[in-house]
């Protein structure tokens, strides 16, 4: 007898509807075959399914069983095919009645027949909804995650025996209601409050400007000047995730298997701080199950912050892969088994010392590095990479009087309010476009929203800066984007000379 059920596969961050066909032959020796380009985890489903069916009090047919996973050209990876294969066998053997066509089954089985947590549930439910599936059966541990999407019924299942009883009409499983994961949510307290950072008012202002426009930042200064503390305070002044952004981030973490236990939705903007020994694959994305890439640190920082401390210590190849994500907001990985793309709309926040000893240019402690060593150290960072960082800021040594002072600085909450207002202006300006913040603007948008609203005095100042600092075309547009963010913080639609002057201060000196 032949039975057909539906499930989903995950390729990159997208899904694909998979039809599971199960045929139980009337003759021939007992055999259990799985075809349709399965990986090792899917092939091992034969033993998990066989044992789970027996331990659930159901009968496993001692006949020739052939399972086909269609489309055959799509590589099937992971253990999420256990439940649909088991249901197909129960249907084909007549142990449960036929199910509706617009139903999908997702989940990994344990040997005792219970359903385990399965990575990528959100992406699979999303594609099921897009392909006309109106009901999905998922492990109970993943029900809240699946219920984040409206328009599809999510039914939580504890075990294969419970599901069989439901399909036979012996028990009724109640759908998990749709829930907006951000409803009634209050932002968590920041890990580091800006009030804890003594001095560095110029650097704090630069972070506020960067947060307002979503710009990347490079901080340079001696050891102990507060660069790391400033970077860790940045998430506390960023605006909260919108529902759409939260689902994007949650999908990435779900596919990566990094969702925190009991937290079906990522509510806070990510902050990723990989060590400088990270590999190229670890940063951009590496091979996962079946040889298909999985998201790397760049994509795990999507809609959040990627902090690279001691930037020159990272490998040259590792740093150069940042150029495409910073420019395009996406990571494209081509491998022999396929090409996948991961989103990478992030804020890069980097910190570095001016030299190996860290004290080049310091006013109180002499540098011990030869001039040639300092030059080679700074040249570890390529011009094209530095040219994609919008805000460059010096973080000098903090004076004793500021360290010992008792007067607290401005807290993150007050700064965040101004950033939220500035981002709201940008959302209104970019309504109906693909843009979400000023850092996303391309050449055409810079011409319309920045150059077209530049006051005469500001244009004259920018012209002089291009001539004196040797700014490239990219740097010219970068100044305008940063000036646009400064004007938004000032609630000004026009970009004045003061906005341009401050934006020029944040530019890298020398040829861009």
């Amino acid at each position: 007898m032949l039975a057909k059920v539906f499930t989903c596969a995950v390729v990159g961050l997208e899904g694909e509807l998979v039809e599971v066909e199960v045929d139980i032959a009337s003759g021939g020796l007992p055999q259990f075959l799985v075809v349709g380009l399965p990986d090792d985890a899917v092939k091992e489903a034969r033993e998990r399914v066989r044992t789970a069916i027996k331990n659930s009090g159901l009968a496993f047919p001692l006949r020739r069983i052939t399972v086909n996973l269609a489309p055959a050209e799509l590589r099937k990876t992971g253990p999420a095919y256990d439940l649909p294969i088991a249901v197909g066998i129960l249907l084909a053997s007549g142990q449960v009645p036929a199910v509706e066509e617009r139903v999908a089954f997702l989940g990994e089985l344990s040997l005792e027949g219970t359903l385990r947590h399965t990575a990528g549930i959100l992406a699979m439910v999303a594609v099921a909804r897009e392909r006309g599936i109106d009901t999905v059966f998922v492990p109970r541990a993943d029900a809240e995650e699946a219920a984040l999407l409206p328009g599809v019924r999510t039914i939580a299942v504890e075990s294969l025996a419970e599901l069989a009883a439901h399909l036979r009409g012996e028990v009724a499983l109640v759908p998990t209601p749709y829930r907006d994961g951000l409803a009634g949510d209050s932002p968590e307290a920041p890990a580091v409050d800006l009030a804890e950072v003594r001095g560095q008012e110029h650097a704090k202002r630069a972070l506020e400007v960067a947060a307002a426009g979503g710009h990347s930042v490079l901080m340079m200064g001696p050891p102990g000047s507060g660069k790391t503390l400033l970077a860790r305070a940045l998430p506390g002044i960023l605006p909260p995730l919108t529902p759409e952004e939260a689902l994007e981030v949650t999908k990435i973490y779900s596919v990566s298997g990094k969702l925190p236990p009991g937290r079906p939705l990522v509510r806070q903007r990510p902050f990723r701080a990989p060590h400088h020994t990270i590999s190229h694959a670890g940063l951009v994305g590496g091979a996962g199950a079946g040889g298909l890439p999985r998201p790397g640190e760049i994509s795990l920082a999507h809609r959040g912050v990627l902090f690279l401390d001691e930037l020159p210590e990272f490998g040259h190849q590792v740093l150069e892969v940042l150029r495409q994500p910073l420019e395009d907001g996406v990571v494209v990985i081509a491998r022999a088994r396929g090409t996948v793309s991961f989103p990478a709309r992030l804020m890069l926040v980097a910190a570095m010392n001016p030299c190996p000893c860290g004290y080049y240019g310091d006013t109180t402690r002499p540098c011990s590095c030869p001039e040639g060593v300092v030059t080679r150290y700074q040249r570890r960072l390529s011009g094209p990479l530095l040219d994609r960082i919008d805000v460059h800021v010096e973080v000098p040594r903090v004076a004793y009087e500021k360290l010992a002072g008792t007067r607290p600085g401005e807290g993150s909450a007050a700064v965040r309010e101004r950033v939220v207002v500035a981002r709201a202006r940008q959302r209104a300006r970019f309504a109906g476009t693909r843009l979400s913040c000023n850092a996303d603007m391309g050449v055409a948008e810079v011409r319309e929203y920045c150059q077209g609203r530049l006051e005469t005095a500001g244009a004259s100042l920018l012209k002089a800066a291009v001539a004196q600092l040797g700014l490239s075309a990219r740097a010219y547009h970068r100044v305008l984007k940063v000036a646009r963010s400064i004007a938004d913080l000032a609630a000004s639609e026009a970009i004045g000379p003061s906005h341009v002057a401050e934006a020029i201060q944040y530019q890298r000196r020398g040829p861009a």
Side-chain angles (χ1 to χ4, degrees):
M1 182 176 177
L2 179 67
K4 298 180 181 180
V5 297
F6 288 102
T7 188
C8 298
V10 176
V11 181
L13 292 184
E14 303 304 321
E16 180 70 32
L17 197 64
V18 174
E19 186 176 36
V20 180
E21 300 175 309
V22 179
D23 178 72
I24 300 179
S26 57
L29 295 175
Q31 195 174 11
F32 193 174
L33 300 176
V34 178
V35 298
L37 211 58
D39 73 344
D40 290 340
V42 180
K43 292 177 182 177
E44 291 172 355
R46 295 174 298 181
E47 301 307 319
R48 289 194 297 272
V49 168
R50 187 199 316 270
T51 307
I53 288 177
K54 292 179 179 179
N55 289 336
S56 299
L58 302 164
F60 185 83
L62 296 177
R63 297 183 180 182
R64 181 182 176 87
I65 302 174
T66 303
V67 177
N68 178 45
L69 307 176
E73 70 274 8
L74 177 69
R75 175 162 289 274
K76 318 304 187 304
T77 64
Y81 299 92
D82 291 3
L83 184 61
I85 291 175
V87 172
I89 291 175
L90 296 181
L91 286 169
S93 60
Q95 298 182 66
V96 296
V99 297
E100 298 179 7
E101 292 185 358
R102 298 169 64 186
V103 174
F105 300 87
L106 314 169
E108 174 187 354
L109 286 170
S110 69
L111 296 184
E112 63 181 355
T114 57
L115 270 73
R116 300 182 185 274
H117 161 70
T118 304
I121 284 291
L122 187 62
M124 290 188 276
V125 173
V127 71
R129 182 183 63 174
E130 293 171 3
R131 297 292 296 273
I133 300 295
D134 60 13
T135 303
V136 291
F137 290 86
V138 301
R140 187 170 298 278
D142 301 316
E144 289 191 8
E145 178 185 342
L148 293 171
L149 293 174
V152 59
R153 285 199 316 156
T154 299
I155 299 181
V157 180
E158 186 69 37
S159 65
L160 181 61
E162 180 184 64
L163 176 58
H166 170 78
L167 295 177
R168 289 195 295 256
E170 299 170 359
V171 298
L173 296 179
V174 180
T176 302
Y178 161 72
R179 57 186 293 270
D180 181 355
L182 293 177
D185 182 48
S186 58
E188 296 180 1
V192 176
D193 197 287
L194 274 182
E196 301 173 19
V197 183
R198 298 296 183 181
Q200 306 299 7
E201 301 306 325
H202 178 63
K204 291 179 184 178
R205 170 63 180 178
L207 285 186
E208 180 179 346
V209 172
H215 305 287
S216 294
V217 184
L218 173 61
M219 296 181 286
M220 181 186 292
S225 57
K227 301 185 297 295
T228 301
L229 199 63
L230 285 164
R232 295 190 178 279
L234 179 58
I237 65 175
L238 291 174
L241 289 168
T242 65
E244 295 77 13
E245 291 174 340
L247 287 176
E248 290 177 13
V249 177
T250 300
K251 185 185 292 187
I252 296 172
Y253 278 71
S254 175
V255 169
S256 304
K258 296 183 181 297
L259 274 181
R263 300 278 299 276
L265 184 70
V266 177
R267 305 182 181 206
Q268 306 298 324
R269 292 191 180 271
F271 181 87
R272 306 294 298 185
H275 192 260
H276 62 76
T277 57
I278 190 172
S279 67
H280 168 273
L283 189 67
V284 72
L292 293 175
R294 285 289 184 262
E297 290 292 334
I298 292 177
S299 296
L300 291 172
H302 178 62
R303 300 297 182 187
V305 176
L306 177 65
F307 176 48
L308 302 184
D309 202 3
E310 305 296 344
L311 187 64
E313 301 299 331
F314 285 79
H316 176 74
Q317 184 185 21
V318 172
L319 291 178
E320 290 307 301
V321 301
L322 289 168
R323 288 161 60 175
Q324 182 203 14
L326 291 178
E327 190 79 15
D328 303 329
V330 67
V331 173
V332 179
I333 306 175
R335 295 292 184 267
R337 291 178 175 173
T339 300
V340 298
S341 61
F342 299 120
R345 291 288 177 189
L346 56 89
M347 287 182 63
L348 172 65
V349 179
M352 62 177 289
N353 298 327
C355 66
C357 79
Y359 296 102
Y360 181 75
D362 190 65
T363 56
T364 60
R365 183 168 176 175
C367 174
S368 60
C369 304
E371 193 68 29
V373 173
V374 175
T375 302
R376 286 194 298 272
Y377 184 78
Q378 295 186 359
R379 283 183 177 176
R380 292 181 184 179
L381 307 177
S382 69
L385 173 62
L386 292 175
D387 215 20
R388 286 167 169 81
I389 299 177
D390 294 343
V391 176
H392 296 248
V393 60
E394 298 284 341
V395 185
R397 179 189 298 273
V398 183
Y400 170 78
E401 291 75 16
K402 293 184 178 180
L403 286 174
T406 58
R407 182 179 179 182
E410 187 176 31
S412 294
V415 178
R416 187 181 192 179
E417 289 180 5
R418 295 195 295 269
V419 170
V420 168
V421 172
R423 286 287 186 104
R425 293 178 64 89
Q426 294 166 43
R427 284 197 303 272
R429 180 185 301 127
F430 301 137
T433 71
R434 60 173 182 82
L435 307 178
S436 60
C437 60
N438 290 332
D440 296 339
M441 288 191 291
V443 175
E445 291 84 11
V446 169
R447 186 178 298 112
E448 178 180 356
Y449 299 114
C450 302
Q451 192 172 331
R453 302 178 188 183
L454 185 61
E455 293 181 356
T456 303
S460 300
L461 180 59
L462 183 54
K463 180 180 178 180
V466 170
Q468 296 178 18
L469 301 178
L471 299 182
S472 67
R474 180 182 284 117
Y476 167 78
H477 290 108
R478 189 172 64 230
V479 171
L480 284 173
K481 288 194 288 187
V482 175
R484 175 72 273 167
S485 297
I486 296 170
D488 287 338
L489 283 170
S492 172
E493 194 59 32
I495 300 177
S498 62
H499 309 141
V500 174
E502 184 177 355
I504 293 172
Q505 294 180 22
Y506 300 134
Q507 299 310 301
R508 181 168 68 101
R509 296 297 182 261

